[in-house]
């Protein structure tokens, strides 16, 4: 019997959307006592309809606060009318702000809200910094996805929120990876050593740096870039200009299960990001048993602190070239040993089950808030 509804606010959903995959889908399959409801403040659903669970409610409300207010009131009224507790979990920056405006217009209580900040504040543009601060002040509880993200969040906001802001590290869906790869047979050309990287092609992910590295790497090394390309195809064009286009596989945006298979097909995982929240993609690669090389940024250091098999490197082309060439010469036995260590650490410290247990603690605190029609 369902006794709680989680109303998740997102801009859009696609195969790699972290809040959709690691929050909505996970809780939809593991928390049978909950009803999962998606409120989309954007318009994009880049997922085949048949891949969306039939019991998942999705409401496309757009950016208009009045429409958001009307739909949110209707959902809350239905929950309260049948005596179901509800949580409003907000994830996107602009969509969350529009929702708070809607709640203000509709005099909807904010006691049921939790706002999760999915990246590090210092990397936001000025308008997103402002909106994030406002969202944090409006929300009852706030979570950051890494200790680094929490430490870099404005101290004044942390002091105002006190014990209602904390960090809960991002984690990996080990069960989903296991179900995908248990019977999967690796497909690769053994004449080459493959390094995969999962990231949408935006400047902070630093793809051009890796292209410059690849120019100097051994001839048998290839990269796999997994993720949506930028609209102008500038990364692909840059690879062509640098003469390494034939040494890079561009997969584009692909379903999550296909991402896991691509990781399995590779020999190593790399990330040259200059900013993260806490990268789920790196954790996924680790759990897939891939030796991992990450850029030396604080968010990656959080992972390396609990897994000595993860190598951190400064963003220096020569250093990365030497490391990748060295890794490519490792024996299969050494690759397996390092990969197994990465997998063990991902399972022990970054399992989705543990992450949601921490969110459950916050949900339970919110659920103690009286729920009645006066909140409307």
């Amino acid at each position: 019997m369902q006794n709680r509804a989680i109303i998740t606010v997102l801009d859009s959903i696609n195969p790699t959307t972290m809040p959709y995959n690691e929050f909505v889908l996970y809780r939809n399959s593991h928390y049978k006592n909950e009803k999962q409801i998606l409120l989309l403040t954007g318009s994009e659903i880049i997922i085949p309809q048949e891949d969306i669970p039939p019991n998942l409610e999705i409401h496309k409300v757009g950016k208009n606060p009045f429409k958001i207010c009307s739909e949110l009131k209707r959902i809350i009224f239905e929950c309260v009318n049948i005596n179901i507790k509800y949580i409003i979990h907000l994830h996107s920056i602009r969509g969350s702000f529009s929702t708070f405006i809607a709640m203000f217009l509709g005099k909807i209580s904010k006691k049921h809200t939790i706002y999760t900040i999915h990246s590090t504040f210092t990397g936001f543009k000025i308008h997103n910094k402002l909106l994030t601060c406002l969202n944090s002040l409006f929300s009852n509880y706030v979570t950051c996805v890494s200790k680094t993200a929490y430490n870099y969040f404005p101290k004044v906001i942390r002091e105002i929120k006190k014990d209602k802001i904390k960090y809960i590290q991002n984690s990996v869906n080990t069960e989903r990876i296991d179900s995908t790869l248990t019977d999967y047979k690796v497909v690769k050309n053994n004449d080459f050593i493959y390094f995969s990287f999962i990231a949408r092609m935006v400047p902070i992910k630093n793809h051009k740096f890796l292209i410059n590295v690849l120019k100097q790497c051994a001839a048998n090394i290839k990269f796999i870039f997994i993720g949506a390309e930028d609209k102008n195809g500038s990364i692909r064009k840059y690879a062509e200009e640098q003469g390494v286009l034939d040494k890079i596989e561009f997969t584009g945006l692909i379903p999550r299960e296909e991402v896991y298979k691509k990781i399995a097909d590779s020999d190593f995982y790399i990330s040259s990001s200059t900013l993260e929240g806490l990268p789920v993609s790196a954790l996924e690669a680790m759990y897939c048993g891939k030796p991992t090389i990450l850029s030396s940024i604080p968010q990656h250091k959080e992972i390396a602190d609990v897994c000595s098999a993860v190598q951190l490197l400064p963003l220096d082309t020569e250093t990365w070239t030497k490391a990748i060439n060295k890794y490519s010469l490792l024996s299969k036995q050494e690759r397996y040993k390092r990969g197994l260590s990465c997998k063990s650490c991902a399972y022990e410290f970054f399992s989705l089950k543990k992450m949601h247990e921490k969110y459950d603690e916050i949900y339970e605190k919110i659920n103690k808030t009286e729920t009645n029609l006066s909140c409307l």
Side-chain angles (χ1 to χ4, degrees), residues 240-253:
E240 185 174 15
E241 291 169 2
Q242 301 304 312
V244 294
L245 184 60
D246 62 331
K247 297 184 68 176
I248 303 175
E249 177 185 348
F250 291 83
T251 71
L253 190 63

Side-chain angles (χ1 to χ4, degrees), residues 81-354:
N81 215 27
I82 58 176
N83 199 31
I84 291 181
K85 299 281 187 178
Y86 67 92
I87 306 290
I88 302 173
H89 198 149
L90 304 108
H91 294 269
S92 55
I93 296 175
R94 296 185 182 184
S96 297
F97 184 69
S98 297
T99 302
F100 281 123
I101 292 175
M103 295 176 76
F104 173 78
L105 294 172
K107 297 181 179 179
I108 300 171
S109 172
K110 299 178 184 67
K111 292 180 179 179
H112 298 265
T113 58
I114 172 174
Y115 174 55
T116 295
I117 304 165
H118 282 275
S119 191
T120 302
F121 186 80
T122 52
F124 291 157
K125 294 181 179 177
I126 187 65
H127 60 280
N128 283 336
K129 285 183 177 180
L130 175 61
L131 293 181
T132 299
C133 287
L134 292 172
N135 289 341
S136 300
L137 292 172
F138 293 154
S139 189
N140 190 358
Y141 284 86
V142 179
T143 59
C144 301
V145 297
S146 67
K147 184 177 181 179
T148 302
Y150 173 84
N151 289 336
Y152 284 6
F153 202 63
K155 187 176 181 180
V156 63
I157 304 291
R158 286 186 280 141
E159 289 178 347
I160 291 172
K161 299 301 293 186
K162 296 182 179 178
D163 62 341
K164 290 196 171 184
I165 182 170
K166 61 168 57 181
Y167 70 88
I168 299 177
Q169 289 176 312
N170 276 345
S171 296
V172 60
N173 192 338
T174 58
E175 297 173 19
R176 191 173 178 185
I177 292 176
D178 287 339
S179 66
T180 300
L181 298 183
T182 297
D183 298 317
Y184 178 68
K185 293 184 179 180
V186 171
V187 179
K188 70 184 292 289
N189 184 340
N190 290 319
D191 292 334
F192 296 96
I193 304 296
Y194 292 88
F195 292 76
S196 58
F197 179 33
I198 306 167
R200 55 199 174 95
M201 295 184 188
V202 293
I204 61 172
K205 301 301 181 180
N206 216 11
H207 287 80
K208 288 185 178 181
F209 171 81
L210 287 180
I211 289 172
N212 290 333
V213 169
L214 184 57
K215 281 173 58 179
Q216 302 176 50
C217 287
N220 68 330
I221 292 172
K222 289 193 173 185
F223 288 174
I224 305 173
F225 285 169
I226 305 167
E229 292 192 51
D230 55 303
K231 291 181 180 179
N232 298 322
S234 62
I235 301 302
R236 187 184 287 267
K237 290 176 183 176
Y238 187 73
E240 185 174 15
E241 291 169 2
Q242 301 304 312
V244 294
L245 184 60
D246 62 331
K247 297 184 68 176
I248 303 175
E249 177 185 348
F250 291 83
T251 71
L253 190 63
I254 56 178
R256 201 55 166 266
E257 283 74 15
E258 293 304 311
V259 170
Y260 302 150
K261 292 175 183 177
K262 281 295 180 183
I263 296 174
D265 291 343
S266 64
D267 299 287
F268 303 97
Y269 185 78
I270 51 177
S271 172
S272 56
S273 289
T274 59
L275 184 77
E276 291 284 353
L278 191 74
V280 173
S281 56
L283 300 177
E284 289 174 332
M286 288 168 62
Y287 188 73
C288 288
K290 300 302 166 184
T292 300
I293 304 174
L294 304 175
S295 52
S296 184
I297 59 175
Q299 298 87 341
H300 286 160
K301 187 177 184 300
E302 276 189 59
I303 298 173
D305 281 346
V306 297
C307 185
S308 59
V310 170
Q311 183 167 4
L312 298 185
L313 295 177
L315 285 168
D316 171 74
T317 305
E318 184 178 350
T319 301
W320 272 71
T321 302
K322 288 180 178 178
I324 286 177
N325 283 335
K326 183 178 179 180
Y327 267 63
S328 72
L329 298 175
L330 292 177
S331 66
K332 288 185 177 180
Q333 291 80 2
E334 183 60 25
R335 286 185 221 166
Y336 177 78
K337 181 181 177 181
R338 294 193 186 196
L340 187 60
S341 180
C342 287
K343 185 183 181 79
S344 298
C345 289
Y347 181 80
E348 182 178 356
F349 296 102
F350 301 103
S351 76
L352 215 50
K353 181 177 183 295
K354 293 180 180 178

